[in-house]
Structures are given as C-alpha cells and as structure tokens.
Amino acid sequence: MYRTDLRNKNGGGLAFLIRGIHYQSIDINTRIINNTNLEIQGVTVVWRGRPLNIFNMYHPPDLKSLSNEILDLFVESSICIGDLNAKHPTWGSTNTNPRGIELLNMIDDKGFITLNDGTHTHYSHIYNSKEALDIAFVSPDLGPSCTWKVQENIRSDHLPILIELKKRQSVCVNN
C-alpha cells in the first residue's frame, strides 16, 4: 500500500493498493504547488514497455474552484482518479456545480476521456442521497484500453472503483 495522509488535517488521506507490479512514487512537489488544498499522490508503472502515470486526488467540497495546478496532470499516458467534489451529468451527477463545469472544460480542452458510466460512487448517510463524486479521466492514448466499474461497498461513503487496462491490443489487418 502506498499512502499519503492529508496535510495539516485530521483523518482521511489517499491510498493506492498495488499488487504484483513494481511502481515508483511521483514527487508531486515538482508537479504541483503545495499551497493548495488539492491533495494528490501519484505513481508511475511500466505498461506495454513505457511509463504510465496514475494520479489519485482529493479536493475538499468547501472550496469553490479547482486549482490550476491540476492542469499539470494532463500529460500523455496518464490516469487521473479521485474525489474532486465536481458535479456534472457527464459523469453521472444529479446536478451541476461550478467545479464540475470547470473540470469538464479542463478535460475537454486537453482531449482527455472520462471513464465514468453514470453509476453513483458516493452515498451520503446524512442526506440519504447518491451522487457521482468520484471521477476517472485518462489521456487519449489510454482511453480505448480502459474499463471502469464501481465495486461493492467496503463500509465507506465512497464506493471503490476498478479501472482495468486491456493487456492485449487489438490489431486491424487489411485483407
């Protein structure tokens, strides 16, 4: 397990569960300015003989907009996942908030692909509501190789998400 606890806050944090593959942590300090409330951790693995970046993110709901530093994550061969508290029907939210519009514009401007299929990923016990708060988006070179699926509840208000990369690449042969 590769874990990063929330800076200067109690509880929470980010974690990757990595099995059977070598990885290297990404020094986020060189990619993201630290004076933001956007929490990010990243790892690099080798997939199909080249580096693949995976970023895990959290952005608190009480802040109105995303940090521009998130744009630094939009690089080739990248998977970006996390709870950004950004709501938009494109990934299954019941409504839209300004952060959702902002994130959708970033994803579109960079040509990234949203993997969400509209399934809710968060359940609020206080409001007895379901929402799609967790989002996954990938660089265009990875989009066709990815699948996204919400998993069973693990006693959290957020459901785990499984993103799989196809091991084989389809080849088109002209006859």
Side-chain angles (χ1 to χ4, degrees), residues 43-113:
V43 296
T44 298
V45 299
V46 176
W47 183 67
R48 292 186 177 171
R50 57 183 202 175
L52 168 66
N53 301 308
I54 306 170
F55 297 102
N56 188 9
M57 303 171 284
Y58 173 72
H59 200 271
D62 57 336
L63 301 170
K64 291 195 169 120
S65 62
L66 290 171
S67 170
N68 283 335
E69 286 82 15
I70 197 171
L71 291 170
D72 292 342
L73 305 181
F74 288 91
V75 295
E76 185 178 13
S77 298
S78 292
I79 298 173
C80 301
I81 55 177
D83 174 6
L84 296 173
N85 286 291
K87 297 179 183 181
H88 199 281
T90 297
W91 45 87
S93 297
T94 56
N95 58 28
T96 302
N97 66 6
R99 191 181 299 178
I101 294 168
E102 189 177 24
L103 182 59
L104 181 61
N105 288 335
M106 288 179 182
I107 291 169
D108 285 346
D109 289 347
K110 295 295 185 173
F112 270 51
I113 299 163

Side-chain angles (χ1 to χ4, degrees), residues 6 16 27 32 36 38 56 61 70 76 79 101 120-121 126 129 131 141 144 148 151 171 174:
L6 291 175
F16 279 107
D27 183 7
I32 303 296
T36 176
L38 176 64
N56 188 9
I70 197 171
E76 185 178 13
I79 298 173
I101 294 168
H120 75 274
T121 62
I126 295 170
S129 63
E131 191 60 79
D141 59 318
W148 183 91
Q151 302 293 292
V171 177
N174 292 328

